[in-house]
Amino acid sequence: MIIALDGPAAAGKGTLARRLASKFNLATLDTGGLYRATGLRALESGGNPADPAVAEAAAKAVRADDMANPALREERVGAAASIVAAIPEVRAALLAFQRDFAHHPPAGFDGAVLDGRDIGTVVCPDADVKLYVTASAEARATRRFKELQEKGVESIYSRVLQDIEQRDARDMAREAAPLKPADDALELDTTALDADAAFQTAADLIARKLSRQPC
Ligand code: DC
């Protein structure tokens, strides 16, 4: 089984992916991590992440081990990720890894759940279930702000909101695989839902969708 989870930054896709993975025995791939690893490699090379040649070389150098690097969560890396993600050569270089993971998850799993921006539209258009997870920019900024406070990172709510709005605009406006729901995606708006309610709603939507599929 392949589950595609798409949606804007800080909509709760990561938490949802982990909980769905544990319920349905699926391997998880946070595809944003691949773009972050590309952005980090581009920064570390000393080149400009907006330069297609620098970004493509960085994408081709990404290894599975990169995904465990704590530096991937840094703000500067998130910003670089959003820049390299708009470059078609980067997206092409990362596509095979994502498709291979979806169709050949590690041994012991019954499938995979991939979260990102273009999983249902480009990476796995044949996914068994596609969820488009969203929430208002304010709700997402409030969650991200609380997370940062809990980690002891000093931040300003208005800056967090501005960052989310800028990232949405970049992810939705780019020409290469823009963020948008697949035609056959189920939409899940988590603005008024906590993590438990979002998980329950998603699990119900998936169970209903799978029960309608022919065996
Ligand atoms: O979900 P995230 O914040 O870790 O993603 C980092 C960046 O990568 C974000 O700007 C969008 C981009 N991305 C993408 O273009 N396609 C994906 N499948 C996943 C992430």
Side-chain angles (χ1 to χ4, degrees):
M1 172 161 70
I2 298 175
I3 298 181
L5 278 190
D6 289 305
K13 301 185 299 292
T15 307
L16 192 54
R18 282 189 293 278
R19 293 184 68 171
L20 290 173
S22 128
K23 181 173 171 68
F24 294 104
N25 188 36
L26 307 173
T28 54
L29 180 64
D30 161 20
T31 64
L34 296 171
Y35 291 91
R36 286 174 180 266
T38 302
L40 180 58
R41 280 188 179 269
L43 291 173
E44 284 177 344
S45 76
N48 179 355
D51 177 339
V54 169
E56 184 182 3
K60 286 184 170 161
V62 167
R63 298 287 168 266
D65 289 356
D66 290 7
M67 305 286 281
N69 187 341
L72 294 191
R73 306 322 312 171
E74 290 174 14
E75 269 323 294
R76 69 185 178 108
V77 177
S82 153
I83 292 167
V84 298
I87 300 173
E89 292 85 347
V90 167
R91 306 200 71 85
L94 298 176
L95 191 57
F97 180 88
Q98 297 172 79
R99 285 199 176 143
D100 186 55
F101 187 94
H103 293 281
H104 307 284
F109 292 104
D110 296 326
V113 50
L114 282 76
D115 80 85
R117 304 293 191 286
D118 63 339
I119 308 304
T121 51
V122 176
V123 178
C124 298
D126 56 346
D128 299 282
V129 181
K130 299 177 186 178
L131 283 183
Y132 190 80
V133 187
T134 185
S136 71
E138 290 75 13
R140 290 182 284 129
T142 302
R143 288 177 202 157
R144 181 61 51 93
F145 181 63
K146 273 196 197 143
E147 265 170 34
L148 291 168
Q149 278 188 319
E150 278 161 18
K151 280 193 212 151
V153 179
E154 227 174 277
S155 49
I156 301 167
Y157 172 79
S158 59
R159 287 284 302 278
V160 176
L161 177 61
Q162 192 186 25
D163 180 58
I164 281 188
E165 287 174 339
Q166 279 172 356
R167 207 157 308 169
D168 284 357
R170 261 204 303 260
D171 290 346
M172 289 175 187
R174 69 175 179 230
E175 271 183 38
L179 169 65
K180 63 172 182 197
D183 290 339
D184 52 349
L186 307 166
E187 293 209 24
L188 176 60
D189 186 333
T190 67
T191 303
L193 303 180
D194 64 15
D196 285 343
F199 167 64
Q200 205 45 61
T201 310
D204 290 349
L205 282 171
I206 292 169
R208 236 178 297 150
K209 163 97 192 187
L210 292 176
S211 72
R212 284 201 300 267
Q213 275 182 1
C215 301

